[in-house]
Amino acid sequence: ISGRAAIFERKNLLPAPSFHVDLILDASASLLAIESDIAIEAYILAKSLENNGIRNRILSYQTVEDTTVVTILKDDDDPCDMKQIFRYKAMGWNRDGLFFKAYPTLLDGKAPQLSIVLTDANPSDFKPLAGKGLRPGKAYSDKPALEDTVRYLDALARKNVKILALLNSDHVDNADTLFRHRFVKIQKIEQIAHV
């Protein structure tokens, strides 16, 4: 019986599933000390996804002056190229709320099945949030920054965008506020495979 292919083998003639993952890298200056670790983590994840036939894209974001800059380090159909991914550069601030507010425009009408954020979960900017009327603006850090970011993460969740986080810092309370237990803390690169 072991030689009968009809019983023990099945050919799958269907194309690979159209599963899609976005890897989103926080590129604020607070991550400068572990910049290469984050690039390595992103490369490992992207290469693993590619090896399993899962399309993926890598974005990084940072706030410079009044602008949140989004860089596409790897697009969906690009092969996983270490040189491209290692263009990741940490600098500036991170007004996370602005990135997540703009994120739907980067989705071209269809959300990925999963978005994974590599972050320190510490949104901050030296420019304050604009105040209403004559009120002075609040500093974009601590509770106001977290509330701003949560507002846009919640809006994405209502659009069925699933966001998880890999935490590269000790800001576990912030990560819990932002991602509500949908995060894993990584202390060293070797943990990526286990996580």
Side-chain angles (χ1 to χ4, degrees):
I1 293 176
S2 62
R4 296 189 53 186
I7 296 174
F8 294 101
E9 294 180 10
R10 185 176 80 184
K11 292 182 181 176
N12 185 1
L13 300 177
L14 298 174
S18 60
F19 201 77
H20 172 226
V21 175
D22 271 351
L23 299 174
I24 302 167
L25 313 182
D26 174 349
S28 61
S30 60
L31 294 168
L32 198 54
I34 58 169
E35 179 181 70
S36 61
D37 289 353
I38 291 173
I40 291 168
E41 290 169 9
Y43 176 76
I44 291 169
L45 288 167
K47 189 66 177 170
S48 299
L49 291 167
E50 181 182 280
N51 288 348
N52 286 288
I54 298 172
R55 294 181 321 121
N56 62 87
R57 172 173 68 164
I58 303 175
L59 308 168
S60 70
Y61 70 93
Q62 67 223 178
T63 302
V64 180
E65 297 286 329
D66 289 329
T67 306
T68 293
V69 179
V70 178
T71 305
I72 299 174
L73 299 170
K74 178 193 169 308
D75 215 340
D76 284 327
D77 301 322
D78 294 344
C80 195
D81 179 6
M82 190 179 284
K83 289 179 186 174
Q84 290 293 98
I85 296 169
F86 279 80
R87 290 183 319 156
Y88 167 78
K89 180 73 181 145
M91 62 182 195
W93 302 86
N94 57 317
R95 195 174 277 250
D96 292 15
L98 278 180
F99 171 78
F100 290 115
K101 180 181 180 181
Y103 186 50
T105 63
L106 301 170
L107 299 178
D108 296 329
K110 62 177 189 174
Q113 279 79 5
L114 183 62
S115 299
I116 302 172
V117 184
L118 281 72
T119 183
D120 64 354
N122 190 28
S124 63
D125 192 0
F126 75 101
K127 297 237 177 191
L129 283 164
K132 293 181 181 177
L134 298 175
R135 291 182 181 170
K138 294 180 187 175
Y140 196 88
S141 62
D142 302 323
K143 189 176 178 185
L146 291 172
E147 288 172 350
D148 180 61
T149 305
V150 164
R151 178 174 57 181
Y152 294 110
L153 285 170
D154 288 348
L156 287 167
R158 286 191 296 276
K159 293 179 181 178
N160 206 25
V161 177
K162 294 173 183 65
I163 297 183
L164 306 175
L166 295 180
L167 182 63
N168 287 295
S169 74
D170 291 325
H171 296 288
V172 175
D173 289 341
N174 287 359
D176 193 41
T177 299
L178 296 171
F179 303 104
R180 297 186 177 95
H181 305 293
R182 294 183 308 272
F183 71 94
V184 177
K185 184 175 185 235
I186 292 182
Q187 294 176 323
K188 51 189 174 182
I189 296 169
E190 292 83 7
Q191 289 181 288
I192 284 281
H194 174 72
V195 169

